[in-house]
Amino acid sequence: MNELLDDRLALLAEQAGIDVNWRDALDRPQSTPACTVRAVLRALGLPADNADDVEASLRRIEEERSGRQPPRLLTAEAGGRVELPASARGRSWKIVTDDGGPVSEGALPSGERLVDAPALPGYYTLLIDEEPITLAVAPPRAFGIGDIAGANRPWGIAVQMAGLRRPGDGGIGDFTALELCAKAAAEKGADALAISPLHALFAAAPERYSPYAPSSRLFLNGLYIDPVRTSGEQTVRAVIDTHNLRQELAELEWLELIDWPRAARARMTILRSVFEWASVDIAHSERFAAFRREQGEPLERHARFEALHADFTAHGRGGGWQGWPEAFHDPSSPDVAAFAREHSREVSFHAWLQWLAMQGLEGAQKAARDAGMAIGLVADLAVGADAGGSHAWAHQKEVLNGLSVGAPPDALNRLGQDWGLTTFSPRGLRETGFKGFIGMLRAALAHAGGVRIDHVLGLKRLWMVPHGAGGATEGAYVRYPLEDMLRLIALESHLHRAIVIGEDLGTVPGDFRRTIADKGVLGIRVLWFERAADGGFIAPSEWSGKAMATTSTHDVPTVAGWWSGRDVEWRKRTGLDNPEVDEAAQRERERMMLWRALFASGSAWNEDAPPAPDDISPVVVAAARHVSQAPAPLAIFPVEDVLGLHEQPNLPGPTDAIHPNWRRRMPDSSSRLFDGPIAHAVCAAIDQTRHRA
């Protein structure tokens, strides 16, 4: 029998940001059990195992909010007011720029808490009785489409980075293939190229390749480096021959699905040899050394993690850092420092990979802009990171330990979801002055014209499942400092002149969509979900004017797959179907509803005679034209819907043994990807519709 929440435990939960009472996907009231509340509080650093613990944790929160310990960071809107911590005595204050230039100053009488914020967005230092606090002053809204010169109802294409092809790629996409794809898309009129997350994974565990389960969101996946760009074709050819890799690379290149372990081993073998060759180049080494100094301690910790992870994996201690000997749990420990000295070459190699990866991504964004794209690359920011990975090890004060991010039960998944990821602790954010969150935003925007934030509801609340719980149903909602985080997003967006898209699909409160829209963050509207009460598809004119429009996403059926019923086949094969529903017959009815909607919007013809399920070309073109009519400031179309492909990149739920998630490759080289008749017709329909007066 579940223990009931007493008043003091409920009060502690509320003050700690845990929702004791909440409503589920069917709008039914739910309560969080006391055992779950205690587990979540423990992970937040607020023990609550007994009454004494509860009282001590309540006193700790009261102490933190008393103002005796000043916050590390405060946010405000430009020209607005800054709310200072409470104080019973008068205080002097001063605001200065980063270089110490005076902005304003004054004195606050006892009990007063508000001072005027600077009029210009940026980072400042607020001195309260000479105690420094970082002050982040944000614009009212994030940088938007309307702020981009020459952007007239822009549109773009979304691609999975690993699936891109080019001659000689060795079986996996790279930054050179991305450049070629950007140029090809720009020739068709696209202003943006949205890409899957490029976050650092685990170099020593290439079988862990989901882009949404990274080791670190601060760094990049070195597998996407094109070795030729560093040392030239002749050197790389010599390396390939030295390691007898020519046949292996050719076989990998022609596979329809990515063989991640084989492709990763081959590419890393080449990169390691190139690293040794490049090390004798003095100028190259000097530039690399300058990069390491510039990146500082965060890069060194990531490189040390990769070296440690490889070493422990080789000695049978794979998995996360929690399984390492205790002496290596602290990144600043003497044992870690000694390891780094003894394995300095390996640490340098992983730092070098980051240098090349950042150059590669920078080159791809430059190629996109030089080709005429108004936005260029749109990066993707995963909702969390692996709890055993680089970020969680290197920045332990910032992230949660003992909780996994997930989702409560809903209509699509009655057991809820546990994604096995960690993320920032709401208390850790405040205690570290949001340092990690800001760093993550900067990493995402450093070489992009925009960013898509996965599961953007996480800025307000996240479903957290305690480790060891009986399932994802035994979780709780934990609240986050939404206002502060949105202000930081708006500020970094403004500083980088990059748009922001928030993935707000699924069960999302209506007021949240309004909140992010007011801050200039575009939501996402998907063709399959824009339905009327009777299940019919609504007219594009009724779509939101404050959200990005798209036909599909990587997690849902493509247009061709939906029309042909391929997704119904996959659902049945993987056990995701509802045995009480004839999904094939239901899809037949839905096809007619979609075709009538396409006809009503002027995107299709012959209302009563839709194409056969295997006749996908007219549907793909009509769907693209239909979505293009939406009043959305930006429309982005998955490459699968531009090419008329049946298979979706990811089918949530099944393992790779059942469905090849994140392994599908494009049917042609990036430079020729949009030259086929379907792609040409789809791109023409989009471009003409989006730019039509």
Side-chain angles (χ1 to χ4, degrees), residues 31-43:
S31 297
T32 306
C35 58
T36 299
V37 170
R38 294 186 195 278
V40 175
L41 284 167
R42 192 180 308 118

Side-chain angles (χ1 to χ4, degrees), residues 591-600 604-611:
R591 282 192 196 98
M592 182 58 75
M593 288 191 289
L594 176 61
W595 189 251
R596 285 174 177 166
L598 298 179
F599 175 83
W605 59 95
N606 203 345
E607 179 180 9
D608 297 319

Side-chain angles (χ1 to χ4, degrees), residues 511-543:
D511 63 335
F512 177 76
R513 286 196 169 106
R514 288 192 297 272
T515 297
I516 64 172
D518 289 344
K519 289 298 181 181
V521 176
L522 296 175
I524 298 178
R525 300 296 176 268
V526 183
L527 174 61
W528 308 132
F529 307 143
E530 293 301 291
R531 307 274 192 119
D534 63 357
F537 294 84
I538 66 175
S541 59
E542 297 180 27
W543 288 33

Side-chain angles (χ1 to χ4, degrees), residues 274-492:
V274 169
F275 172 63
E276 297 302 333
W277 284 47
S279 296
V280 302
D281 183 330
I282 295 176
H284 181 94
S285 298
E286 288 178 347
R287 292 194 300 272
F288 172 45
F291 169 78
R292 289 184 77 170
R293 289 193 298 271
E294 178 186 325
Q295 295 293 313
E297 185 65 18
L299 173 63
E300 295 308 310
R301 288 194 173 191
H302 175 72
R304 290 177 181 185
F305 173 89
E306 286 281 63
L308 281 161
H309 182 254
D311 189 75
F312 283 123
T313 298
H315 289 87
R317 286 195 173 215
W321 60 269
Q322 295 89 341
W324 299 351
E326 187 73 27
F328 294 93
H329 285 194
D330 181 357
S332 59
S333 74
D335 294 78
V336 170
F339 176 91
R341 287 193 300 271
E342 294 167 9
H343 299 80
S344 61
R345 204 74 189 136
E346 181 73 3
V347 174
S348 293
F349 171 67
H350 288 290
W352 181 78
L353 289 179
Q354 291 305 312
W355 184 41
L356 295 193
M358 291 183 192
Q359 289 180 51
L361 185 56
E362 181 181 17
Q365 171 64 355
K366 184 177 185 302
R369 297 302 298 270
D370 288 349
M373 285 190 172
I375 298 169
L377 302 181
V378 178
D380 200 337
L381 187 56
V383 67
D386 193 294
S390 163
H391 194 148
W393 176 74
H395 305 277
Q396 294 176 38
K397 290 183 178 180
E398 298 173 356
V399 300
L400 290 165
N401 186 22
L403 299 175
S404 293
V405 182
D410 57 26
L412 296 178
N413 196 321
R414 61 185 178 82
L415 298 178
Q417 300 176 63
D418 182 346
W419 299 329
L421 304 173
T422 188
T423 189
F424 296 107
S425 161
R427 290 171 57 78
L429 286 171
R430 295 188 177 93
E431 290 170 1
T432 60
F434 293 79
K435 184 178 179 180
F437 182 71
I438 294 170
M440 183 187 69
L441 291 175
R442 289 175 178 172
L445 295 171
H447 308 297
V451 64
R452 170 193 177 273
I453 300 176
D454 191 38
H455 195 64
V456 72
L457 181 60
L459 299 176
K460 180 176 182 178
R461 68 180 189 186
L462 281 172
W463 183 256
M464 296 294 188
V465 183
H467 293 176
T473 57
E474 298 180 17
Y477 275 120
V478 176
R479 297 192 299 275
Y480 278 75
L482 175 63
E483 184 176 61
D484 290 325
M485 297 172 87
L486 281 175
R487 284 174 174 171
L488 290 169
I489 288 170
L491 176 54
E492 290 297 328

